[in-house]
Coordinates of all heavy atoms in Angstrom, one line a residue:
G207 N 100.0 79.5 107.2 CA 100.0 78.5 106.1 C 98.8 78.6 105.2 O 98.8 78.5 103.9
L208 N 97.6 78.8 105.8 CA 96.3 78.9 105.0 C 96.3 80.0 104.2 O 95.7 80.1 103.1 CB 95.2 78.9 106.1 CG 93.7 78.9 105.5 CD1 93.5 77.7 104.7 CD2 92.7 79.0 106.6
S209 N 96.9 81.2 104.6 CA 96.8 82.4 103.9 C 97.4 82.3 102.4 O 96.8 83.0 101.5 CB 97.6 83.6 104.6 OG 99.0 83.3 104.6
L210 N 98.3 81.4 102.3 CA 98.9 81.4 100.9 C 98.0 80.7 99.9 O 98.3 80.7 98.7 CB 100.2 80.6 101.0 CG 101.4 81.3 101.7 CD1 102.5 80.3 102.1 CD2 101.9 82.5 100.9
F211 N 96.9 80.1 100.4 CA 96.0 79.3 99.5 C 94.7 80.0 99.3 O 93.7 79.4 98.9 CB 95.8 77.9 100.1 CG 97.1 77.1 100.1 CD1 97.9 77.1 101.1 CD2 97.4 76.3 98.9 CE1 99.2 76.3 101.2 CE2 98.6 75.5 98.9 CZ 99.4 75.6 100.1
L212 N 94.5 81.2 99.8 CA 93.3 81.9 99.8 C 93.1 83.0 98.7 O 92.2 83.9 98.8 CB 92.9 82.5 101.2 CG 92.8 81.4 102.3 CD1 92.5 82.2 103.6 CD2 91.7 80.5 102.0
S213 N 93.8 82.8 97.6 CA 93.6 83.8 96.5 C 93.8 83.1 95.3 O 94.7 82.2 95.1 CB 94.6 84.9 96.7 OG 94.5 85.9 95.6
R214 N 93.1 83.6 94.2 CA 93.2 83.1 92.9 C 94.2 84.0 92.1 O 94.4 83.8 90.9 CB 91.9 83.0 92.2 CG 91.0 81.9 92.7 CD 89.7 81.8 91.9 NE 88.9 80.7 92.5 CZ 89.0 79.4 92.0 NH1 89.7 79.1 91.1 NH2 88.1 78.5 92.5
S215 N 94.6 85.1 92.7 CA 95.5 86.0 92.0 C 96.9 85.6 92.3 O 97.4 85.7 93.4 CB 95.2 87.4 92.5 OG 96.2 88.3 92.2
K216 N 97.6 85.3 91.3 CA 99.1 85.0 91.4 C 99.8 86.3 91.9 O 100.8 86.2 92.8 CB 99.7 84.7 90.1 CG 99.2 83.3 89.6 CD 99.9 82.9 88.3 CE 99.3 81.6 87.7 NZ 100.0 81.2 86.5
H217 N 99.4 87.5 91.5 CA 100.0 88.7 91.9 C 99.9 88.9 93.4 O 100.8 89.3 94.1 CB 99.3 89.9 91.2 CG 99.7 91.3 91.8 ND1 100.8 91.9 91.5 CD2 98.9 92.0 92.7 CE1 100.8 93.1 92.1 NE2 99.7 93.2 92.9
R218 N 98.7 88.7 94.0 CA 98.5 88.9 95.4 C 99.2 87.8 96.2 O 99.8 88.2 97.3 CB 97.0 88.9 95.8 CG 96.2 90.0 95.2 CD 94.7 89.9 95.5 NE 94.4 90.0 97.0 CZ 94.2 91.2 97.6 NH1 94.4 92.3 97.1 NH2 94.0 91.1 98.9
I219 N 99.3 86.6 95.8 CA 100.0 85.6 96.5 C 101.5 86.0 96.5 O 102.2 85.8 97.6 CB 99.8 84.2 95.8 CG1 98.4 83.8 96.0 CG2 100.8 83.2 96.4 CD1 98.1 82.5 95.2
D220 N 102.1 86.4 95.4 CA 103.5 86.8 95.3 C 103.8 87.9 96.3 O 104.8 88.0 96.9 CB 103.9 87.1 93.9 CG 104.0 85.9 93.0 OD1 103.9 84.8 93.5 OD2 104.0 86.1 91.8
R221 N 102.9 89.0 96.3 CA 103.1 90.1 97.1 C 103.0 89.7 98.6 O 103.8 90.2 99.4 CB 102.1 91.2 96.8 CG 102.4 91.9 95.4 CD 103.7 92.7 95.4 NE 104.0 93.3 94.1 CZ 103.4 94.4 93.7 NH1 102.6 95.2 94.4 NH2 103.8 94.9 92.5
H222 N 102.0 88.9 99.0 CA 101.9 88.4 100.3 C 103.1 87.6 100.8 O 103.6 87.9 101.8 CB 100.6 87.6 100.4 CG 100.3 87.0 101.8 ND1 100.3 87.8 102.9 CD2 100.1 85.8 102.2 CE1 100.1 87.0 103.9 NE2 100.0 85.8 103.5
A223 N 103.6 86.8 99.9 CA 104.8 86.0 100.2 C 106.0 86.9 100.3 O 106.8 86.7 101.2 CB 105.0 85.0 99.2
A224 N 106.1 87.9 99.5 CA 107.2 88.9 99.7 C 107.1 89.6 101.0 O 108.3 89.9 101.6 CB 107.1 89.9 98.5
R225 N 106.0 89.9 101.5 CA 105.8 90.5 102.8 C 106.3 89.6 103.9 O 107.1 90.0 104.8 CB 104.3 90.9 103.1 CG 103.8 91.9 102.2 CD 102.3 92.2 102.6 NE 101.7 93.3 102.0 CZ 100.5 93.8 102.2 NH1 99.7 93.1 102.9 NH2 100.0 94.9 101.5
L226 N 105.9 88.3 103.8 CA 106.4 87.4 104.8 C 107.9 87.1 104.8 O 108.5 87.0 105.9 CB 105.6 86.0 104.5 CG 104.1 86.0 104.7 CD1 103.5 84.7 104.3 CD2 103.6 86.4 106.1
L227 N 108.4 87.0 103.6 CA 109.8 86.8 103.4 C 110.6 88.0 104.0 O 111.6 87.9 104.7 CB 110.2 86.7 101.9 CG 111.4 86.0 101.5 CD1 111.6 84.6 102.1 CD2 111.5 85.9 100.0
T228 N 110.1 89.3 103.7 CA 110.8 90.5 104.1 C 110.8 90.6 105.6 O 111.8 90.8 106.2 CB 110.1 91.7 103.6 OG1 110.2 91.6 102.1 CG2 110.9 93.0 104.0
A229 N 109.7 90.2 106.3 CA 109.6 90.2 107.7 C 110.5 89.2 108.3 O 111.2 89.6 109.3 CB 108.2 89.9 108.2
Q230 N 110.6 88.1 107.7 CA 111.6 87.0 108.2 C 113.1 87.5 108.2 O 113.8 87.4 109.2 CB 111.4 85.8 107.4 CG 112.3 84.6 107.8 CD 111.8 84.0 109.2 OE1 110.6 84.1 109.4 NE2 112.7 83.4 109.9
F231 N 113.4 88.0 107.0 CA 114.9 88.4 106.9 C 115.3 89.6 107.8 O 116.3 89.7 108.4 CB 115.2 88.7 105.5 CG 115.5 87.5 104.6 CD1 114.7 87.1 103.6 CD2 116.5 86.6 105.0 CE1 115.0 86.0 102.8 CE2 116.8 85.5 104.3 CZ 116.0 85.2 103.2
V232 N 114.3 90.6 107.8 CA 114.6 91.8 108.7 C 114.7 91.5 110.1 O 115.6 91.9 110.9 CB 113.6 92.9 108.3 CG1 113.8 94.1 109.3 CG2 113.7 93.4 106.9
A233 N 113.7 90.6 110.6 CA 113.6 90.3 112.0 C 114.9 89.4 112.4 O 115.5 89.7 113.4 CB 112.4 89.5 112.3
V234 N 115.2 88.5 111.5 CA 116.4 87.7 111.9 C 117.7 88.5 111.9 O 118.6 88.3 112.7 CB 116.5 86.5 110.9 CG1 117.8 85.8 111.0 CG2 115.4 85.5 111.2
A235 N 117.8 89.4 110.9 CA 118.9 90.3 110.9 C 119.1 91.1 112.2 O 120.1 91.3 112.9 CB 118.9 91.3 109.7
C236 N 117.9 91.6 112.7 CA 117.8 92.3 114.1 C 118.2 91.4 115.2 O 119.0 91.8 116.1 CB 116.5 92.9 114.3 SG 116.1 94.3 113.1
F237 N 117.7 90.1 115.2 CA 118.1 89.2 116.2 C 119.6 88.9 116.3 O 120.1 88.8 117.3 CB 117.4 87.9 116.0 CG 115.9 87.9 116.0 CD1 115.1 86.9 115.3 CD2 115.2 89.0 116.6 CE1 113.8 87.0 115.3 CE2 113.9 89.0 116.6 CZ 113.1 88.1 115.9
V238 N 120.2 88.9 115.1 CA 121.7 88.7 115.1 C 122.5 89.9 115.5 O 123.5 89.8 116.2 CB 122.1 88.2 113.7 CG1 123.6 88.2 113.5 CG2 121.5 86.8 113.3
V239 N 122.0 91.1 114.9 CA 122.9 92.3 115.2 C 122.6 92.8 116.7 O 123.5 93.3 117.4 CB 122.4 93.5 114.3 CG1 123.0 94.8 114.7 CG2 122.8 93.1 112.9
W240 N 121.3 92.6 117.2 CA 120.9 93.1 118.5 C 120.2 92.0 119.2 O 119.0 92.2 119.5 CB 120.1 94.4 118.3 CG 119.9 95.1 119.6 CD1 120.6 95.4 120.7 CD2 118.6 95.7 120.0 NE1 120.1 96.0 121.6 CE2 118.8 96.3 121.3 CE3 117.4 95.9 119.4 CZ2 117.8 97.0 121.9 CZ3 116.3 96.6 120.0 CH2 116.6 97.1 121.3
P241 N 120.8 91.0 119.7 CA 120.2 89.9 120.4 C 119.7 90.3 121.8 O 120.4 91.1 122.5 CB 121.2 88.8 120.5 CG 122.5 89.5 120.4 CD 122.3 90.7 119.6
L242 N 118.5 90.0 122.2 CA 118.0 90.2 123.4 C 117.5 89.0 124.2 O 117.3 88.0 123.5 CB 116.8 91.2 123.4 CG 117.1 92.6 122.9 CD1 115.8 93.4 122.7 CD2 118.0 93.4 123.9
H243 N 117.4 89.0 125.5 CA 117.0 87.8 126.2 C 115.7 88.1 127.0 O 115.6 89.2 127.6 CB 118.2 87.5 127.3 CG 117.9 86.4 128.2 ND1 117.7 86.5 129.5 CD2 117.8 85.0 127.9 CE1 117.5 85.4 130.1 NE2 117.5 84.5 129.1
F244 N 114.9 87.1 127.1 CA 113.7 87.2 127.9 C 114.0 86.9 129.3 O 114.6 85.8 129.6 CB 112.5 86.3 127.4 CG 111.3 86.5 128.1 CD1 110.4 87.5 127.8 CD2 110.9 85.5 129.1 CE1 109.2 87.7 128.4 CE2 109.7 85.7 129.8 CZ 108.9 86.8 129.4
S245 N 113.6 87.7 130.3 CA 114.2 87.6 131.6 C 113.3 86.9 132.7 O 113.8 86.6 133.8 CB 114.5 88.9 132.1 OG 113.3 89.7 132.3
F246 N 112.0 86.5 132.3 CA 111.1 85.8 133.2 C 111.3 84.3 133.2 O 111.5 83.8 132.0 CB 109.7 86.2 133.0 CG 109.3 87.6 133.2 CD1 108.1 88.1 132.8 CD2 110.3 88.5 133.7 CE1 107.8 89.5 133.0 CE2 110.0 89.9 133.9 CZ 108.7 90.4 133.6
G247 N 111.2 83.7 134.2 CA 111.0 82.2 134.2 C 109.6 81.8 133.8 O 108.7 82.4 134.3
Q248 N 109.5 80.8 133.0 CA 108.2 80.5 132.5 C 107.6 79.4 133.4 O 108.1 78.3 133.5 CB 108.3 80.0 131.1 CG 107.0 80.0 130.2 CD 107.2 79.6 128.8 OE1 107.6 78.5 128.5 NE2 107.2 80.6 127.8
P249 N 106.4 79.6 134.1 CA 105.8 78.6 134.9 C 105.4 77.4 134.2 O 105.4 77.4 133.0 CB 104.6 79.3 135.5 CG 104.8 80.8 135.2 CD 105.7 80.9 134.0
E250 N 105.2 76.3 135.0 CA 104.9 75.0 134.4 C 103.4 75.0 133.9 O 102.5 75.6 134.5 CB 105.1 73.8 135.4 CG 104.9 72.5 134.8 CD 106.1 72.1 134.0 OE1 107.2 72.8 134.1 OE2 105.9 71.3 133.1
A251 N 103.2 74.5 132.8 CA 101.9 74.4 132.2 C 101.5 72.9 132.0 O 102.4 72.0 131.9 CB 101.8 75.0 130.9

């Protein structure tokens, strides 16, 4: 969240946001096409 507020350049903010958006869509597409399961039980914290 902080990263989006650390530049005075609109160009850099837009490109950074495009990276974040691309990662989101590609990752979710992979999760849908090739879902995987984590196999360990998580201990109590």
Side-chain angles (χ1 to χ4, degrees):
L208 182 64
S209 67
L210 292 164
F211 296 88
L212 293 180
S213 177
R214 291 181 178 272
S215 167
K216 294 179 181 180
H217 167 84
R218 290 179 67 86
I219 292 171
D220 289 346
R221 290 289 176 86
H222 178 54
R225 291 176 173 184
L226 299 173
L227 199 60
T228 302
Q230 182 71 25
F231 278 119
V232 173
V234 169
C236 292
F237 300 156
V238 170
V239 173
W240 189 40
L242 291 175
H243 176 250
F244 186 80
S245 62
F246 297 171
Q248 204 172 65
E250 191 68 25

